[in-house]
Amino acid sequence: MTDNQTPQQMRVIGKEPAAAGVVAVTLADPDGAALPNWEPGAHLDLVLGDITRQYSLCGDPADGSSLTVAVLREPNGRGGSAFVHDKLEVGDLIGVGGPRNNFALTAAPSYLFVGGGIGITPLLPMLRRVDEGGLPWRLLYGGRTRASMAFADDLTAAYPDRVDLRPQDEYGILDLVSALDAAPPGTAVYCCGPEPLLQAIESACRDRDHVTLHVERFAPKQIDAREDGAFEVELSSSGAVVEVGASESVLDALLRSGVAVDFSCREGTCGTCEVAVLAGRPDHRDSVLTEDEQAANDAMMICVSRSCTPKLVLDL
């Protein structure tokens, strides 16, 4: 979270188990004020001690009085989930940024939702919205075990004919090919989950023109940075030129030069640091922009993306 971006203070009004290793956290304004509007696919930035982490909203967008996220304990994580599970208590005040939405629900004649583990969270408001609109949809939901799959019982109770629960210890890996082949033409596919699932569904959708894939990553892509070189960034508002070293990000170079820019995750997953590109060709390394958006080369995430040209001109 940047120094010039003040997070809103919210109070924890609920914290309860949602599955083995998952807690649902509900937040509200401490004075009872209405909360910001949001749409399915949005996430929050939670300030957890001295770190900021992003979590998808999984409640009801029509509820202006509270916001809910679900957090999986990550044994090998960087401290965010441990803070939520072990330190965060009902009644606590925490800083909250957003909501922001890099995974917006688009109009389509039908939908296939594919969730892996905690990746179910951004899909919950989506499928509710689609169901309320009377559109056809299905959910393919996988996890390590049935007990680890958050909100599984609620989903099967509410939508018994539309939800396919596939715990891995009972069914093996998700049968993406069958689900995609059964999807009607024009189906929008929304998928969130661990990287192997996202890579598998991206591969499966490349040869299936009857569906349109939308994915959200909650972990950064792995990039080989061994051959990175230096380049220049020009600020369009002033003409100032900042050199970006081979071992630093555009974001760090700008901050080093005293340029105030918004940022949060520093790993290309939240979209906070998006900046318009006016000239030059970015080397896209984010997990936010779609392939088509990256190909347009008119925006970049300055916390991870670099340059394919000696200079980039940014709208700063």
Side-chain angles (χ1 to χ4, degrees):
M1 197 77 63
T2 62
D3 292 338
N4 63 324
Q5 192 179 32
T6 303
Q8 178 182 354
Q9 290 293 301
M10 292 192 189
R11 190 175 302 281
V12 179
I13 64 169
K15 179 183 175 183
E16 57 186 22
V22 179
V23 292
V25 177
T26 303
L27 305 165
D29 184 274
D31 299 319
L35 298 178
N37 294 327
W38 61 280
E39 289 295 313
H43 70 263
L44 295 178
D45 299 332
L46 300 190
V47 182
L48 306 169
D50 59 355
I51 59 177
T52 300
R53 294 291 180 261
Q54 292 71 41
Y55 299 104
S56 296
L57 284 160
C58 58
D60 182 358
D63 178 8
S65 64
S66 67
L67 299 170
T68 300
V69 299
V71 180
L72 170 69
R73 180 188 288 276
E74 297 278 6
N76 299 316
R78 295 160 298 151
S81 69
F83 186 101
V84 171
H85 279 257
D86 299 336
K87 297 182 180 180
L88 197 64
E89 301 290 347
V90 172
D92 287 352
L93 285 173
I94 62 170
V96 178
R100 298 185 181 88
N101 200 337
N102 306 313
F103 194 41
L105 184 65
T106 59
S110 63
Y111 295 84
L112 172 63
F113 300 105
V114 181
I118 198 63
I120 190 63
T121 52
L123 305 181
L124 295 176
M126 292 185 178
L127 61 87
R128 293 190 196 106
R129 175 69 59 82
V130 170
D131 192 71
E132 289 168 358
L135 294 168
W137 64 273
R138 294 202 67 81
L139 169 65
L140 181 61
Y141 180 15
R144 296 185 309 277
T145 65
R146 193 174 295 267
S148 72
M149 298 169 67
F151 309 108
D153 291 342
D154 293 340
L155 285 165
T156 53
Y159 314 108
D161 299 327
R162 295 182 182 268
V163 175
D164 297 318
L165 291 186
R166 295 293 184 265
Q168 188 171 355
D169 63 342
E170 298 177 30
Y171 293 89
I173 62 173
L174 292 178
D175 186 355
L176 301 176
V177 169
S178 295
L180 291 169
D181 287 345
T187 294
V189 180
Y190 279 81
C191 181
C192 183
E195 187 63 22
L197 170 62
L198 300 184
Q199 291 182 3
I201 201 164
E202 286 173 337
S203 177
C205 285
R206 287 192 185 102
D207 299 325
R208 290 173 170 80
D209 295 336
H210 70 292
V211 299
T212 302
L213 177 63
H214 308 262
V215 301
E216 182 171 59
R217 285 178 161 85
F218 47 73
K221 293 179 179 178
Q222 298 301 307
I223 300 294
D224 185 352
R226 287 176 295 181
E227 297 185 8
D228 284 345
F231 58 95
E232 294 181 337
V233 167
E234 180 179 327
L235 312 183
S236 64
S237 62
S238 64
V241 175
V242 175
E243 180 165 336
V244 181
S247 60
E248 68 178 341
S249 66
V250 176
L251 171 63
D252 286 336
L254 293 174
L255 294 175
R256 170 174 53 78
S257 302
V259 181
V261 287
D262 291 341
F263 66 94
S264 181
C265 73
R266 286 183 173 268
E267 56 186 22
T269 58
C270 75
T272 305
C273 68
E274 181 174 356
V275 172
V277 178
L278 304 181
R281 183 161 61 92
D283 176 8
H284 295 287
R285 301 182 179 187
D286 66 276
S287 303
V288 176
L289 299 174
T290 66
E291 290 183 1
D292 288 343
E293 289 170 337
Q294 290 185 347
N297 287 323
D298 57 5
M300 67 183 292
M301 305 301 155
I302 58 174
C303 69
V304 292
S305 295
R306 301 185 65 78
S307 183
C308 297
T309 51
K311 178 187 285 189
L312 294 172
V313 180
L314 302 182
D315 186 17
L316 288 172

